[in-house]
PDB file of all heavy atoms in Angstrom:
ATOM      1  N   MET A 163       2.067  -9.673  -0.182  1.00 96.00           N
ATOM      2  CA  MET A 163       1.837  -8.190   0.059  1.00 96.00           C
ATOM      3  C   MET A 163       0.758  -7.999   1.100  1.00 96.00           C
ATOM      4  O   MET A 163       0.911  -7.113   1.989  1.00 96.00           O
ATOM      5  CB  MET A 163       1.496  -7.585  -1.287  1.00 96.00           C
ATOM      6  CG  MET A 163       2.574  -7.452  -2.277  1.00 96.00           C
ATOM      7  SD  MET A 163       2.007  -6.849  -3.881  1.00 96.00           S
ATOM      8  CE  MET A 163       0.836  -5.610  -3.567  1.00 96.00           C
ATOM      9  N   HIS A 164      -0.338  -8.716   0.993  1.00 97.00           N
ATOM     10  CA  HIS A 164      -1.428  -8.525   1.993  1.00 97.00           C
ATOM     11  C   HIS A 164      -0.953  -8.857   3.390  1.00 97.00           C
ATOM     12  O   HIS A 164      -1.256  -8.035   4.332  1.00 97.00           O
ATOM     13  CB  HIS A 164      -2.584  -9.414   1.618  1.00 97.00           C
ATOM     14  CG  HIS A 164      -3.721  -9.310   2.567  1.00 97.00           C
ATOM     15  ND1 HIS A 164      -3.986 -10.154   3.533  1.00 97.00           N
ATOM     16  CD2 HIS A 164      -4.720  -8.333   2.698  1.00 97.00           C
ATOM     17  CE1 HIS A 164      -5.044  -9.777   4.224  1.00 97.00           C
ATOM     18  NE2 HIS A 164      -5.464  -8.729   3.694  1.00 97.00           N
ATOM     19  N   LYS A 165      -0.247  -9.881   3.579  1.00 97.00           N
ATOM     20  CA  LYS A 165       0.310 -10.216   4.919  1.00 97.00           C
ATOM     21  C   LYS A 165       1.244  -9.093   5.438  1.00 97.00           C
ATOM     22  O   LYS A 165       1.134  -8.683   6.622  1.00 97.00           O
ATOM     23  CB  LYS A 165       1.075 -11.478   4.920  1.00 97.00           C
ATOM     24  CG  LYS A 165       0.207 -12.746   4.808  1.00 97.00           C
ATOM     25  CD  LYS A 165       1.013 -14.024   4.779  1.00 97.00           C
ATOM     26  CE  LYS A 165       0.118 -15.237   4.588  1.00 97.00           C
ATOM     27  NZ  LYS A 165       0.839 -16.512   4.500  1.00 97.00           N
ATOM     28  N   SER A 166       2.079  -8.616   4.551  1.00 96.00           N
ATOM     29  CA  SER A 166       3.060  -7.528   4.934  1.00 96.00           C
ATOM     30  C   SER A 166       2.284  -6.278   5.294  1.00 96.00           C
ATOM     31  O   SER A 166       2.522  -5.628   6.287  1.00 96.00           O
ATOM     32  CB  SER A 166       4.059  -7.295   3.868  1.00 96.00           C
ATOM     33  OG  SER A 166       4.885  -8.446   3.707  1.00 96.00           O
ATOM     34  N   LEU A 167       1.390  -5.847   4.416  1.00 97.00           N
ATOM     35  CA  LEU A 167       0.651  -4.553   4.658  1.00 97.00           C
ATOM     36  C   LEU A 167      -0.225  -4.659   5.881  1.00 97.00           C
ATOM     37  O   LEU A 167      -0.311  -3.755   6.673  1.00 97.00           O
ATOM     38  CB  LEU A 167      -0.137  -4.200   3.409  1.00 97.00           C
ATOM     39  CG  LEU A 167       0.615  -3.801   2.208  1.00 97.00           C
ATOM     40  CD1 LEU A 167      -0.201  -3.824   0.941  1.00 97.00           C
ATOM     41  CD2 LEU A 167       1.192  -2.345   2.454  1.00 97.00           C
ATOM     42  N   GLU A 168      -0.895  -5.816   6.052  1.00 97.00           N
ATOM     43  CA  GLU A 168      -1.765  -6.039   7.233  1.00 97.00           C
ATOM     44  C   GLU A 168      -0.911  -6.034   8.505  1.00 97.00           C
ATOM     45  O   GLU A 168      -1.296  -5.405   9.519  1.00 97.00           O
ATOM     46  CB  GLU A 168      -2.512  -7.339   7.116  1.00 97.00           C
ATOM     47  CG  GLU A 168      -3.444  -7.689   8.280  1.00 97.00           C
ATOM     48  CD  GLU A 168      -4.709  -6.793   8.196  1.00 97.00           C
ATOM     49  OE1 GLU A 168      -5.061  -6.187   7.143  1.00 97.00           O
ATOM     50  OE2 GLU A 168      -5.338  -6.695   9.219  1.00 97.00           O
ATOM     51  N   PHE A 169       0.267  -6.633   8.455  1.00 96.00           N
ATOM     52  CA  PHE A 169       1.130  -6.646   9.673  1.00 96.00           C
ATOM     53  C   PHE A 169       1.633  -5.230   9.990  1.00 96.00           C
ATOM     54  O   PHE A 169       1.512  -4.778  11.183  1.00 96.00           O
ATOM     55  CB  PHE A 169       2.328  -7.552   9.408  1.00 96.00           C
ATOM     56  CG  PHE A 169       3.296  -7.515  10.553  1.00 96.00           C
ATOM     57  CD1 PHE A 169       3.044  -8.213  11.742  1.00 96.00           C
ATOM     58  CD2 PHE A 169       4.491  -6.780  10.522  1.00 96.00           C
ATOM     59  CE1 PHE A 169       3.892  -8.121  12.847  1.00 96.00           C
ATOM     60  CE2 PHE A 169       5.371  -6.706  11.603  1.00 96.00           C
ATOM     61  CZ  PHE A 169       5.081  -7.411  12.734  1.00 96.00           C
ATOM     62  N   ILE A 170       2.149  -4.461   9.015  1.00 96.00           N
ATOM     63  CA  ILE A 170       2.744  -3.169   9.260  1.00 96.00           C
ATOM     64  C   ILE A 170       1.595  -2.241   9.706  1.00 96.00           C
ATOM     65  O   ILE A 170       1.779  -1.444  10.639  1.00 96.00           O
ATOM     66  CB  ILE A 170       3.405  -2.592   7.947  1.00 96.00           C
ATOM     67  CG1 ILE A 170       4.597  -3.480   7.678  1.00 96.00           C
ATOM     68  CG2 ILE A 170       3.795  -1.120   8.129  1.00 96.00           C
ATOM     69  CD1 ILE A 170       5.769  -3.390   8.663  1.00 96.00           C
ATOM     70  N   HIS A 171       0.451  -2.266   9.032  1.00 97.00           N
ATOM     71  CA  HIS A 171      -0.674  -1.486   9.453  1.00 97.00           C
ATOM     72  C   HIS A 171      -1.146  -1.798  10.872  1.00 97.00           C
ATOM     73  O   HIS A 171      -1.371  -0.888  11.690  1.00 97.00           O
ATOM     74  CB  HIS A 171      -1.845  -1.717   8.386  1.00 97.00           C
ATOM     75  CG  HIS A 171      -3.026  -0.879   8.765  1.00 97.00           C
ATOM     76  ND1 HIS A 171      -4.106  -1.347   9.590  1.00 97.00           N
ATOM     77  CD2 HIS A 171      -3.392   0.411   8.423  1.00 97.00           C
ATOM     78  CE1 HIS A 171      -4.956  -0.375   9.669  1.00 97.00           C
ATOM     79  NE2 HIS A 171      -4.615   0.557   8.992  1.00 97.00           N
ATOM     80  N   GLY A 172      -1.232  -3.063  11.213  1.00 96.00           N
ATOM     81  CA  GLY A 172      -1.619  -3.439  12.538  1.00 96.00           C
ATOM     82  C   GLY A 172      -0.648  -3.020  13.593  1.00 96.00           C
ATOM     83  O   GLY A 172      -1.011  -2.553  14.719  1.00 96.00           O
ATOM     84  N   TYR A 173       0.646  -3.104  13.261  1.00 95.00           N
ATOM     85  CA  TYR A 173       1.733  -2.722  14.183  1.00 95.00           C
ATOM     86  C   TYR A 173       1.585  -1.232  14.611  1.00 95.00           C
ATOM     87  O   TYR A 173       1.596  -0.927  15.755  1.00 95.00           O
ATOM     88  CB  TYR A 173       3.041  -2.995  13.528  1.00 95.00           C
ATOM     89  CG  TYR A 173       4.257  -2.510  14.314  1.00 95.00           C
ATOM     90  CD1 TYR A 173       4.710  -3.210  15.449  1.00 95.00           C
ATOM     91  CD2 TYR A 173       4.989  -1.392  13.924  1.00 95.00           C
ATOM     92  CE1 TYR A 173       5.781  -2.771  16.187  1.00 95.00           C
ATOM     93  CE2 TYR A 173       6.021  -0.925  14.614  1.00 95.00           C
ATOM     94  CZ  TYR A 173       6.451  -1.651  15.756  1.00 95.00           C
ATOM     95  OH  TYR A 173       7.511  -1.192  16.503  1.00 95.00           O
ATOM     96  N   TYR A 174       1.499  -0.362  13.543  1.00 95.00           N
ATOM     97  CA  TYR A 174       1.400   1.019  13.811  1.00 95.00           C
ATOM     98  C   TYR A 174       0.058   1.496  14.375  1.00 95.00           C
ATOM     99  O   TYR A 174      -0.042   2.350  15.224  1.00 95.00           O
ATOM    100  CB  TYR A 174       1.752   1.850  12.628  1.00 95.00           C
ATOM    101  CG  TYR A 174       3.229   1.739  12.364  1.00 95.00           C
ATOM    102  CD1 TYR A 174       3.739   1.138  11.219  1.00 95.00           C
ATOM    103  CD2 TYR A 174       4.264   2.201  13.258  1.00 95.00           C
ATOM    104  CE1 TYR A 174       5.111   1.016  10.940  1.00 95.00           C
ATOM    105  CE2 TYR A 174       5.564   2.087  13.062  1.00 95.00           C
ATOM    106  CZ  TYR A 174       6.001   1.495  11.895  1.00 95.00           C
ATOM    107  OH  TYR A 174       7.352   1.361  11.695  1.00 95.00           O
ATOM    108  N   THR A 175      -0.991   0.735  14.021  1.00 95.00           N
ATOM    109  CA  THR A 175      -2.294   1.022  14.573  1.00 95.00           C
ATOM    110  C   THR A 175      -2.296   0.718  16.061  1.00 95.00           C
ATOM    111  O   THR A 175      -2.835   1.461  16.894  1.00 95.00           O
ATOM    112  CB  THR A 175      -3.385   0.232  13.885  1.00 95.00           C
ATOM    113  OG1 THR A 175      -3.448   0.590  12.502  1.00 95.00           O
ATOM    114  CG2 THR A 175      -4.798   0.385  14.551  1.00 95.00           C
ATOM    115  N   ASN A 176      -1.758  -0.431  16.492  1.00 94.00           N
ATOM    116  CA  ASN A 176      -1.698  -0.823  17.903  1.00 94.00           C
ATOM    117  C   ASN A 176      -0.864   0.203  18.693  1.00 94.00           C
ATOM    118  O   ASN A 176      -1.286   0.535  19.810  1.00 94.00           O
ATOM    119  CB  ASN A 176      -1.041  -2.206  18.077  1.00 94.00           C
ATOM    120  CG  ASN A 176      -2.034  -3.301  17.696  1.00 94.00           C
ATOM    121  OD1 ASN A 176      -3.233  -3.077  17.680  1.00 94.00           O
ATOM    122  ND2 ASN A 176      -1.545  -4.433  17.323  1.00 94.00           N
ATOM    123  N   ILE A 177       0.260   0.617  18.140  1.00 92.00           N
ATOM    124  CA  ILE A 177       1.042   1.662  18.821  1.00 92.00           C
ATOM    125  C   ILE A 177       0.270   2.885  19.042  1.00 92.00           C
ATOM    126  O   ILE A 177       0.254   3.455  20.161  1.00 92.00           O
ATOM    127  CB  ILE A 177       2.373   1.907  18.088  1.00 92.00           C
ATOM    128  CG1 ILE A 177       3.330   0.787  18.180  1.00 92.00           C
ATOM    129  CG2 ILE A 177       3.048   3.169  18.606  1.00 92.00           C
ATOM    130  CD1 ILE A 177       4.533   0.886  17.241  1.00 92.00           C
ATOM    131  N   TYR A 178      -0.407   3.317  18.005  1.00 91.00           N
ATOM    132  CA  TYR A 178      -1.212   4.616  18.138  1.00 91.00           C
ATOM    133  C   TYR A 178      -2.383   4.444  19.069  1.00 91.00           C
ATOM    134  O   TYR A 178      -2.628   5.343  19.928  1.00 91.00           O
ATOM    135  CB  TYR A 178      -1.643   4.937  16.714  1.00 91.00           C
ATOM    136  CG  TYR A 178      -2.387   6.353  16.710  1.00 91.00           C
ATOM    137  CD1 TYR A 178      -1.707   7.519  17.068  1.00 91.00           C
ATOM    138  CD2 TYR A 178      -3.722   6.424  16.369  1.00 91.00           C
ATOM    139  CE1 TYR A 178      -2.373   8.734  17.063  1.00 91.00           C
ATOM    140  CE2 TYR A 178      -4.374   7.709  16.384  1.00 91.00           C
ATOM    141  CZ  TYR A 178      -3.692   8.819  16.747  1.00 91.00           C
ATOM    142  OH  TYR A 178      -4.303  10.003  16.762  1.00 91.00           O
ATOM    143  N   GLU A 179      -3.101   3.343  18.985  1.00 91.00           N
ATOM    144  CA  GLU A 179      -4.184   3.125  19.945  1.00 91.00           C
ATOM    145  C   GLU A 179      -3.730   3.002  21.352  1.00 91.00           C
ATOM    146  O   GLU A 179      -4.394   3.518  22.237  1.00 91.00           O
ATOM    147  CB  GLU A 179      -5.030   1.863  19.482  1.00 91.00           C
ATOM    148  CG  GLU A 179      -5.802   2.107  18.219  1.00 91.00           C
ATOM    149  CD  GLU A 179      -6.526   0.847  17.698  1.00 91.00           C
ATOM    150  OE1 GLU A 179      -6.220  -0.227  18.195  1.00 91.00           O
ATOM    151  OE2 GLU A 179      -7.259   1.043  16.722  1.00 91.00           O
ATOM    152  N   ASN A 180      -2.579   2.369  21.615  1.00 89.00           N
ATOM    153  CA  ASN A 180      -2.065   2.267  22.961  1.00 89.00           C
ATOM    154  C   ASN A 180      -1.739   3.670  23.475  1.00 89.00           C
ATOM    155  O   ASN A 180      -1.975   4.023  24.607  1.00 89.00           O
ATOM    156  CB  ASN A 180      -0.870   1.385  23.025  1.00 89.00           C
ATOM    157  CG  ASN A 180      -1.234  -0.078  22.901  1.00 89.00           C
ATOM    158  OD1 ASN A 180      -2.345  -0.447  23.118  1.00 89.00           O
ATOM    159  ND2 ASN A 180      -0.322  -0.954  22.442  1.00 89.00           N
ATOM    160  N   PHE A 181      -1.087   4.476  22.671  1.00 87.00           N
ATOM    161  CA  PHE A 181      -0.762   5.852  22.957  1.00 87.00           C
ATOM    162  C   PHE A 181      -1.990   6.590  23.344  1.00 87.00           C
ATOM    163  O   PHE A 181      -2.040   7.282  24.401  1.00 87.00           O
ATOM    164  CB  PHE A 181      -0.013   6.566  21.807  1.00 87.00           C
ATOM    165  CG  PHE A 181       0.131   8.023  22.043  1.00 87.00           C
ATOM    166  CD1 PHE A 181       1.123   8.509  22.926  1.00 87.00           C
ATOM    167  CD2 PHE A 181      -0.654   8.928  21.381  1.00 87.00           C
ATOM    168  CE1 PHE A 181       1.301   9.850  23.144  1.00 87.00           C
ATOM    169  CE2 PHE A 181      -0.470  10.306  21.591  1.00 87.00           C
ATOM    170  CZ  PHE A 181       0.483  10.759  22.427  1.00 87.00           C
ATOM    171  N   LEU A 182      -3.063   6.455  22.543  1.00 85.00           N
ATOM    172  CA  LEU A 182      -4.324   7.261  22.830  1.00 85.00           C
ATOM    173  C   LEU A 182      -4.896   6.823  24.156  1.00 85.00           C
ATOM    174  O   LEU A 182      -5.450   7.567  24.894  1.00 85.00           O
ATOM    175  CB  LEU A 182      -5.295   7.051  21.680  1.00 85.00           C
ATOM    176  CG  LEU A 182      -4.953   7.713  20.353  1.00 85.00           C
ATOM    177  CD1 LEU A 182      -6.036   7.463  19.335  1.00 85.00           C
ATOM    178  CD2 LEU A 182      -4.833   9.253  20.550  1.00 85.00           C
ATOM    179  N   SER A 183      -4.863   5.470  24.424  1.00 86.00           N
ATOM    180  CA  SER A 183      -5.409   4.925  25.625  1.00 86.00           C
ATOM    181  C   SER A 183      -4.645   5.512  26.852  1.00 86.00           C
ATOM    182  O   SER A 183      -5.251   5.927  27.862  1.00 86.00           O
ATOM    183  CB  SER A 183      -5.300   3.399  25.643  1.00 86.00           C
ATOM    184  OG  SER A 183      -5.736   2.869  26.813  1.00 86.00           O
ATOM    185  N   ILE A 184      -3.350   5.492  26.743  1.00 83.00           N
ATOM    186  CA  ILE A 184      -2.477   6.081  27.880  1.00 83.00           C
ATOM    187  C   ILE A 184      -2.763   7.540  28.057  1.00 83.00           C
ATOM    188  O   ILE A 184      -2.951   8.046  29.176  1.00 83.00           O
ATOM    189  CB  ILE A 184      -1.000   5.736  27.588  1.00 83.00           C
ATOM    190  CG1 ILE A 184      -0.735   4.249  27.772  1.00 83.00           C
ATOM    191  CG2 ILE A 184      -0.105   6.534  28.554  1.00 83.00           C
ATOM    192  CD1 ILE A 184       0.628   3.827  27.231  1.00 83.00           C
ATOM    193  N   GLU A 185      -2.854   8.210  26.933  1.00 77.00           N
ATOM    194  CA  GLU A 185      -3.085   9.681  26.983  1.00 77.00           C
ATOM    195  C   GLU A 185      -4.479   9.884  27.591  1.00 77.00           C
ATOM    196  O   GLU A 185      -4.565  10.852  28.455  1.00 77.00           O
ATOM    197  CB  GLU A 185      -3.084  10.188  25.483  1.00 77.00           C
ATOM    198  CG  GLU A 185      -3.309  11.673  25.373  1.00 77.00           C
ATOM    199  CD  GLU A 185      -3.236  12.098  23.942  1.00 77.00           C
ATOM    200  OE1 GLU A 185      -4.085  11.600  23.154  1.00 77.00           O
ATOM    201  OE2 GLU A 185      -2.412  12.995  23.615  1.00 77.00           O
ATOM    202  N   ASN A 186      -5.481   9.155  27.281  1.00 76.00           N
ATOM    203  CA  ASN A 186      -6.817   9.285  27.835  1.00 76.00           C
ATOM    204  C   ASN A 186      -6.802   8.996  29.344  1.00 76.00           C
ATOM    205  O   ASN A 186      -7.404   9.733  30.140  1.00 76.00           O
ATOM    206  CB  ASN A 186      -7.780   8.413  27.087  1.00 76.00           C
ATOM    207  CG  ASN A 186      -9.209   8.703  27.442  1.00 76.00           C
ATOM    208  OD1 ASN A 186      -9.619   9.851  27.570  1.00 76.00           O
ATOM    209  ND2 ASN A 186      -9.942   7.678  27.623  1.00 76.00           N
ATOM    210  N   GLU A 187      -6.133   7.959  29.734  1.00 75.00           N
ATOM    211  CA  GLU A 187      -6.024   7.569  31.205  1.00 75.00           C
ATOM    212  C   GLU A 187      -5.369   8.685  31.910  1.00 75.00           C
ATOM    213  O   GLU A 187      -5.857   9.001  33.065  1.00 75.00           O
ATOM    214  CB  GLU A 187      -5.242   6.289  31.380  1.00 75.00           C
ATOM    215  CG  GLU A 187      -6.040   5.088  31.000  1.00 75.00           C
ATOM    216  CD  GLU A 187      -5.246   3.802  31.163  1.00 75.00           C
ATOM    217  OE1 GLU A 187      -4.382   3.777  32.063  1.00 75.00           O
ATOM    218  OE2 GLU A 187      -5.455   2.805  30.401  1.00 75.00           O
ATOM    219  N   TYR A 188      -4.338   9.275  31.445  1.00 69.00           N
ATOM    220  CA  TYR A 188      -3.624  10.374  32.072  1.00 69.00           C
ATOM    221  C   TYR A 188      -4.543  11.547  32.224  1.00 69.00           C
ATOM    222  O   TYR A 188      -4.658  12.179  33.339  1.00 69.00           O
ATOM    223  CB  TYR A 188      -2.359  10.773  31.286  1.00 69.00           C
ATOM    224  CG  TYR A 188      -1.639  11.889  31.880  1.00 69.00           C
ATOM    225  CD1 TYR A 188      -0.766  11.704  32.933  1.00 69.00           C
ATOM    226  CD2 TYR A 188      -1.858  13.227  31.444  1.00 69.00           C
ATOM    227  CE1 TYR A 188      -0.163  12.762  33.535  1.00 69.00           C
ATOM    228  CE2 TYR A 188      -1.217  14.274  32.007  1.00 69.00           C
ATOM    229  CZ  TYR A 188      -0.326  14.082  33.055  1.00 69.00           C
ATOM    230  OH  TYR A 188       0.326  15.089  33.702  1.00 69.00           O
ATOM    231  N   TYR A 189      -5.296  11.846  31.212  1.00 68.00           N
ATOM    232  CA  TYR A 189      -6.207  13.031  31.211  1.00 68.00           C
ATOM    233  C   TYR A 189      -7.321  12.739  32.306  1.00 68.00           C
ATOM    234  O   TYR A 189      -7.619  13.651  33.052  1.00 68.00           O
ATOM    235  CB  TYR A 189      -6.798  13.221  29.856  1.00 68.00           C
ATOM    236  CG  TYR A 189      -7.845  14.318  29.856  1.00 68.00           C
ATOM    237  CD1 TYR A 189      -7.390  15.615  29.945  1.00 68.00           C
ATOM    238  CD2 TYR A 189      -9.185  14.127  29.734  1.00 68.00           C
ATOM    239  CE1 TYR A 189      -8.317  16.729  29.961  1.00 68.00           C
ATOM    240  CE2 TYR A 189     -10.144  15.147  29.721  1.00 68.00           C
ATOM    241  CZ  TYR A 189      -9.647  16.436  29.849  1.00 68.00           C
ATOM    242  OH  TYR A 189     -10.541  17.497  29.873  1.00 68.00           O
ATOM    243  N   ILE A 190      -7.856  11.485  32.396  1.00 63.00           N
ATOM    244  CA  ILE A 190      -8.928  11.187  33.297  1.00 63.00           C
ATOM    245  C   ILE A 190      -8.381  11.286  34.741  1.00 63.00           C
ATOM    246  O   ILE A 190      -9.011  11.801  35.625  1.00 63.00           O
ATOM    247  CB  ILE A 190      -9.492   9.818  33.049  1.00 63.00           C
ATOM    248  CG1 ILE A 190     -10.345   9.877  31.739  1.00 63.00           C
ATOM    249  CG2 ILE A 190     -10.291   9.316  34.218  1.00 63.00           C
ATOM    250  CD1 ILE A 190     -10.717   8.474  31.239  1.00 63.00           C
ATOM    251  N   ASP A 191      -7.175  10.781  34.970  1.00 64.00           N
ATOM    252  CA  ASP A 191      -6.575  10.749  36.319  1.00 64.00           C
ATOM    253  C   ASP A 191      -6.197  12.166  36.741  1.00 64.00           C
ATOM    254  O   ASP A 191      -6.284  12.434  37.937  1.00 64.00           O
ATOM    255  CB  ASP A 191      -5.308   9.851  36.316  1.00 64.00           C
ATOM    256  CG  ASP A 191      -5.644   8.383  36.211  1.00 64.00           C
ATOM    257  OD1 ASP A 191      -6.836   8.052  36.433  1.00 64.00           O
ATOM    258  OD2 ASP A 191      -4.717   7.607  35.950  1.00 64.00           O
ATOM    259  N   THR A 192      -5.685  12.961  35.888  1.00 64.00           N
ATOM    260  CA  THR A 192      -5.186  14.289  36.306  1.00 64.00           C
ATOM    261  C   THR A 192      -6.116  15.429  35.998  1.00 64.00           C
ATOM    262  O   THR A 192      -5.933  16.488  36.559  1.00 64.00           O
ATOM    263  CB  THR A 192      -3.811  14.594  35.668  1.00 64.00           C
ATOM    264  OG1 THR A 192      -4.029  14.753  34.220  1.00 64.00           O
ATOM    265  CG2 THR A 192      -2.778  13.434  36.000  1.00 64.00           C
ATOM    266  N   GLY A 193      -6.976  15.251  35.086  1.00 62.00           N
ATOM    267  CA  GLY A 193      -7.811  16.384  34.638  1.00 62.00           C
ATOM    268  C   GLY A 193      -7.040  17.361  33.834  1.00 62.00           C
ATOM    269  O   GLY A 193      -7.568  18.465  33.469  1.00 62.00           O
ATOM    270  N   ASP A 194      -5.849  17.023  33.524  1.00 60.00           N
ATOM    271  CA  ASP A 194      -4.948  17.909  32.727  1.00 60.00           C
ATOM    272  C   ASP A 194      -4.641  17.229  31.466  1.00 60.00           C
ATOM    273  O   ASP A 194      -4.694  16.044  31.266  1.00 60.00           O
ATOM    274  CB  ASP A 194      -3.664  18.121  33.424  1.00 60.00           C
ATOM    275  CG  ASP A 194      -3.406  19.604  33.800  1.00 60.00           C
ATOM    276  OD1 ASP A 194      -4.094  20.368  33.287  1.00 60.00           O
ATOM    277  OD2 ASP A 194      -2.556  19.836  34.660  1.00 60.00           O
ATOM    278  N   TYR A 195      -4.342  18.039  30.449  1.00 55.00           N
ATOM    279  CA  TYR A 195      -4.050  17.514  29.159  1.00 55.00           C
ATOM    280  C   TYR A 195      -2.785  18.189  28.625  1.00 55.00           C
ATOM    281  O   TYR A 195      -2.743  19.324  28.249  1.00 55.00           O
ATOM    282  CB  TYR A 195      -5.213  17.797  28.175  1.00 55.00           C
ATOM    283  CG  TYR A 195      -5.066  17.109  26.850  1.00 55.00           C
ATOM    284  CD1 TYR A 195      -5.354  15.733  26.779  1.00 55.00           C
ATOM    285  CD2 TYR A 195      -4.653  17.800  25.722  1.00 55.00           C
ATOM    286  CE1 TYR A 195      -5.239  15.148  25.536  1.00 55.00           C
ATOM    287  CE2 TYR A 195      -4.556  17.146  24.535  1.00 55.00           C
ATOM    288  CZ  TYR A 195      -4.863  15.838  24.446  1.00 55.00           C
ATOM    289  OH  TYR A 195      -4.711  15.191  23.246  1.00 55.00           O
ATOM    290  N   TYR A 196      -1.652  17.465  28.757  1.00 54.00           N
ATOM    291  CA  TYR A 196      -0.370  18.055  28.398  1.00 54.00           C
ATOM    292  C   TYR A 196       0.174  17.536  27.085  1.00 54.00           C
ATOM    293  O   TYR A 196       1.237  17.845  26.684  1.00 54.00           O
ATOM    294  CB  TYR A 196       0.690  17.790  29.506  1.00 54.00           C
ATOM    295  CG  TYR A 196       0.421  18.608  30.748  1.00 54.00           C
ATOM    296  CD1 TYR A 196      -0.070  17.998  31.873  1.00 54.00           C
ATOM    297  CD2 TYR A 196       0.644  19.987  30.739  1.00 54.00           C
ATOM    298  CE1 TYR A 196      -0.315  18.746  33.037  1.00 54.00           C
ATOM    299  CE2 TYR A 196       0.352  20.713  31.880  1.00 54.00           C
ATOM    300  CZ  TYR A 196      -0.077  20.099  32.995  1.00 54.00           C
ATOM    301  OH  TYR A 196      -0.338  20.827  34.091  1.00 54.00           O
TER     302      TYR A 196
END
Side-chain angles (χ1 to χ4, degrees):
M163 289 171 41
H164 181 258
K165 286 179 182 176
S166 294
L167 288 164
E168 183 71 19
F169 176 77
I170 295 294
H171 181 267
Y173 175 76
Y174 289 115
T175 297
N176 286 337
I177 289 173
Y178 185 63
E179 287 174 351
N180 288 338
F181 170 77
L182 290 178
S183 177
I184 292 167
E185 183 181 57
N186 190 43
E187 285 178 31
Y188 179 81
Y189 179 72
I190 290 169
D191 290 345
T192 65
D194 242 345
Y195 189 77
Y196 290 108

